[in-house]
Amino acid sequence: MKMSIIIIAVAVTTLSCGESKKERAQRDSAAADRWTVLEYQRQDNIQRQKDRDQQTIDTGAKVLDIITR
């Protein structure tokens, strides 16, 4: 009898330590939000690099034009 009470107490304690559905949904939503922000940052970094590359090409073309005059 005493052993079964201990087992039930341990089971209740273990179950109460788990996260609720609401907490899990909030955690999953926060993770999705973080992923979205990181993806936007990645896309922004790619676009900035393309812009820098284009600016370098334009500058090189101007320099070449000046040299060949």
Side-chain angles (χ1 to χ4, degrees):
M1 179 71 171
K2 197 173 195 180
M3 186 59 124
S4 61
I5 293 174
I6 292 172
I7 292 172
I8 292 172
V10 169
V12 168
T13 303
T14 303
L15 290 174
S16 67
C17 291
E19 66 182 350
S20 70
K21 289 180 183 179
K22 181 180 177 183
E23 290 168 337
R24 177 162 177 106
Q26 288 174 337
R27 186 171 50 84
D28 290 346
S29 176
D33 291 345
R34 283 190 302 274
W35 185 88
T36 301
V37 168
L38 289 173
E39 182 61 24
Y40 280 128
Q41 288 174 341
R42 187 181 76 81
Q43 291 295 328
D44 187 49
N45 289 340
I46 290 169
Q47 186 59 49
R48 286 177 189 233
Q49 184 61 50
K50 286 180 181 179
D51 292 345
R52 283 191 298 269
D53 292 347
Q54 186 60 48
Q55 185 178 11
T56 301
I57 291 169
D58 293 343
T59 302
K62 288 178 185 175
V63 169
L64 185 62
D65 185 47
I66 291 170
I67 291 173
T68 58
R69 282 187 187 179

